[in-house]
Amino acid sequence: MALNSGSPPGVGPYYENHGYQPENPYSAQPTVAPNGYMVYPAQYYPSPLPQYAPRVPTHASNPVVSTQPKSPSGRLCTSKTKKALCITLALGTVLTGAALAAGLVWKFIRLYGPNFILQVYSSQRRSWHPVCQDDWNENYGRVACRDMGYKNSFYSSQGIVDDSGATSFMKLNLSAGNVDIYKKLYHSGTCSSKAVVSLRCVACGVTLNSSRQSRIVGGVTASEGAWPWQVSLHVQNVHVCGGSIITPEWIVTAAHCVEKPLNNPRHWTAFVGILSQSLMFYGSGHRVEKVISHPSYDSQTKNNDIALMKLQTPLTFSDAVKPVCLPNPGMNLDPEQPCWISGWGATEEKGKTSDMLNAAMVPLIDPQRCNSRYVYNNLITPAMICAGFLKGTVDSCQGDSGGPLVTLKNSVWWLIGDTSWGSGCAKAYRPGVYGNVTVFTDWIYQQMRADG
C-alpha cells in the first residue's frame, strides 16, 4: 500500500484495495512489500482507481445520459499503487427515465418513489402515468416484474392511495382480449378505486433490527442480520471487495473490483450471511456465473464505477441473507440524508482489513460542496456521490470497495451507492466517494432482463 506519487495535487495518495489478509495457515500468505505493508499478488489486484463527476438531479423524469468528466490534466491517479476506497452517490434524489444511449429497461415501465408505485410510459403523451388498481391482479404484477428483469421473483401487488396528484392514469381494458399487458392499458382521467398499483418484485430492504451502529474507520462491529445484503467477494480465499444482494441471483459491486484479469467469473466466490472472514474459510461460498461491468466505466476517473455479478445458483433468503432495494426515481433524498456503509475494510488508513464486518453512519454531502476546490475540485461526476464528514473521523477504507451505501426511507433500506474511491481514509476534506446507484438502476434492470 505504498503512497501513489502520481496523485492529484492537493488530493493526496490513493491506495490499492488489497483485500482481507488472512491469518489462516491454509491460505496462501501474501508477500511483504519493501515498505512493510502486506500486499496480495499483483495479478489479483483490483486495478487502480479514482476520479470524479458533476452533480445529479434527483427528481428528473426525463432520460438522462451521464457524460464523462474532462480528465483534469495530471490530477488522476494512474499508478498501480492506488487505493480503491469508497463512497459515491450523488445526493438528493433519483434520476429516472430511460438512458437513451444504453436502451434501458424502464423504457415503458418503472417503479416510482418509496412506495413502489407502478408507472407506465406513454410514448403518445411522452409522460409517465400511474396504473389504476381497477381490475388489476397479481398475475399482471408477476408479468410486470418479469419484464423488469425479476425473472423468478414476485413479492406483492396492492392498491394504495395515490398522493402524487396524478390527473391521468393507465387502466386495464379487459375486453382487449388475450394480448400483451401493455396493449391492454389505456389513458383515463378517472380511477374508480381511487388507488394505484404498488408493486414489489422482491422482499427487499428489510432487516432483523433497526438499531444501527456507528464504524468502518470510526464504526463498530455489525450484529447478525443488521446488514443482510452484505456480500464478501473472494479471490483465492482472500476477501477482495464487497457487494450487495439485490435478487437471489444478482449482486451489485464496483467495476474497479472486476478489471482484467478479475473480469473472469471463475476467479470469484461470494460469501453471504457470515460476519467473520475467518469463518468464511470453513463456509461454503457461491460461485459466480457472470461478471458484467458498466460499458462506460472509466478506469482512470472511476466514472460509472458499477458492476453486476450473477451467481451460478440462487441464494436462499433467511434472517441473515436478504436483498436491499434498488432506488426508484422520485425518492427525494435530503441534502444530508443519513446513510450507512458496511464492510470488512481497514479500520484505519494503511491498516489491515478487518476480520469482522463493521458498519458506520455517514451523511450525504452536496455534490457542489464535494466538488469545491477545497475538497475534490470538480472530480465528482453525476455518476458519483460523496458521503461522510468533512472533518474526517468516519469513512470507508481499503477492502470496502464495491460494498453498500444504504439509507432508510419509508421503513425500507435502499441501495444508494457502491463504495468506489477516496483520498486516504477518514481524512479531513476527503470524504468517501461512491458510485451513484440512482443513476444506474435502468442499466441494472436492463442487464437482468437481457440475461436468459
Side-chain angles (χ1 to χ4, degrees), residues 4 15-16 18 42 45-48 78-82:
N4 173 22
Y15 303 88
E16 288 228 0
H18 295 144
Y45 282 139
S47 76
T78 54
S79 85
K80 289 187 178 180
T81 51
K82 292 177 196 171

Side-chain angles (χ1 to χ4, degrees), residues 190-265:
T190 62
C191 179
S192 301
S193 62
K194 299 189 184 302
V196 293
V197 176
S198 172
L199 179 65
R200 298 191 64 173
C201 299
V202 63
C204 60
V206 181
T207 63
L208 271 183
N209 57 63
S210 58
S211 62
R212 299 300 131 197
Q213 300 92 0
S214 214
R215 185 178 162 174
I216 285 196
V217 174
V220 297
T221 301
S223 60
E224 187 161 356
W227 313 104
W229 43 79
Q230 178 75 53
V231 180
S232 175
L233 297 171
H234 284 212
V235 174
Q236 291 190 345
N237 298 320
V238 174
H239 168 82
V240 173
C241 278
S244 303
I245 301 167
I246 56 171
T247 79
E249 295 178 308
W250 291 95
I251 290 167
V252 171
T253 187
H256 77 258
C257 291
V258 295
E259 291 185 32
K260 292 182 180 180
L262 296 183
N263 59 332
N264 189 326

Side-chain angles (χ1 to χ4, degrees), residues 67-405:
T67 56
Q68 296 283 34
K70 290 183 179 178
S71 190
S73 51
R75 292 190 176 187
L76 301 178
C77 298
T78 54
S79 85
K80 289 187 178 180
T81 51
K82 292 177 196 171
K83 156 190 168 186
L85 185 30
C86 353
I87 328 183
T88 321
L89 172 75
L91 58 83
T93 58
V94 179
L95 258 58
T96 97
L100 300 178
L104 299 170
V105 156
W106 283 354
K107 186 175 181 182
F108 300 112
I109 182 174
R110 73 179 184 186
L111 302 178
Y112 185 83
N115 291 321
F116 300 90
I117 293 175
L118 178 63
Q119 292 187 337
V120 173
Y121 184 75
S122 169
S123 55
Q124 182 181 14
R125 302 193 180 189
R126 298 185 179 181
S127 56
W128 292 92
H129 302 272
V131 176
C132 177
Q133 176 68 14
D134 294 1
D135 300 314
W136 185 267
N137 61 45
E138 284 194 356
N139 291 332
Y140 295 123
R142 292 178 187 277
V143 171
C145 284
R146 191 163 58 246
D147 286 354
M148 279 191 292
Y150 293 94
K151 295 294 178 62
N152 302 302
S153 181
F154 171 80
Y155 179 52
S156 69
S157 178
Q158 59 184 342
I160 64 171
V161 176
D162 177 41
D163 57 2
S164 69
T167 57
S168 182
F169 304 86
M170 302 300 289
K171 294 178 68 173
L172 284 169
N173 177 8
L174 297 183
S175 63
N178 188 19
V179 297
D180 185 296
I181 180 177
Y182 304 108
K183 293 180 180 178
K184 286 179 177 283
L185 294 169
Y186 68 97
H187 288 281
S188 175
T190 62
C191 179
S192 301
S193 62
K194 299 189 184 302
V196 293
V197 176
S198 172
L199 179 65
R200 298 191 64 173
C201 299
V202 63
C204 60
V206 181
T207 63
L208 271 183
N209 57 63
S210 58
S211 62
R212 299 300 131 197
Q213 300 92 0
S214 214
R215 185 178 162 174
I216 285 196
V217 174
V220 297
T221 301
S223 60
E224 187 161 356
W227 313 104
W229 43 79
Q230 178 75 53
V231 180
S232 175
L233 297 171
H234 284 212
V235 174
Q236 291 190 345
N237 298 320
V238 174
H239 168 82
V240 173
C241 278
S244 303
I245 301 167
I246 56 171
T247 79
E249 295 178 308
W250 291 95
I251 290 167
V252 171
T253 187
H256 77 258
C257 291
V258 295
E259 291 185 32
K260 292 182 180 180
L262 296 183
N263 59 332
N264 189 326
R266 289 179 297 178
H267 288 309
W268 295 97
T269 304
F271 288 87
V272 299
I274 304 174
L275 300 181
S276 167
Q277 287 291 326
S278 299
L279 294 179
M280 292 179 196
F281 294 119
Y282 308 101
S284 57
H286 299 264
R287 303 301 301 174
V288 174
E289 175 182 305
K290 186 177 294 187
V291 173
I292 306 172
S293 186
H294 195 282
S296 299
Y297 166 64
D298 186 314
S299 61
Q300 288 191 313
T301 65
K302 296 304 172 276
N303 198 30
N304 301 306
D305 191 7
I306 192 168
L308 290 171
M309 288 186 179
K310 184 183 181 186
L311 301 178
Q312 289 183 3
T313 56
L315 298 172
T316 299
F317 291 160
S318 64
D319 286 344
V321 180
K322 295 180 182 178
V324 64
C325 295
L326 290 174
N328 298 326
M331 295 288 294
N332 297 321
L333 304 179
D334 296 330
E336 296 182 359
Q337 181 85 17
C339 296
W340 280 259
I341 49 177
S342 53
W344 289 272
T347 55
E348 61 181 358
E349 188 173 327
K350 301 183 183 180
K352 292 183 180 180
T353 47
S354 173
D355 177 61
M356 296 300 295
L357 180 66
N358 290 313
M361 193 283 286
V362 288
L364 293 182
I365 298 174
D366 185 287
Q368 289 184 336
R369 193 173 190 187
C370 199
N371 256 334
S372 70
R373 59 181 297 190
Y374 301 106
V375 187
Y376 282 129
N377 199 17
N378 293 321
L379 291 176
I380 306 301
T381 73
M384 303 176 190
I385 291 180
C386 295
F389 300 91
L390 291 183
K391 66 180 179 180
T393 71
V394 180
D395 199 0
S396 45
C397 204
Q398 303 97 278
D400 290 321
S401 288
L405 174 74

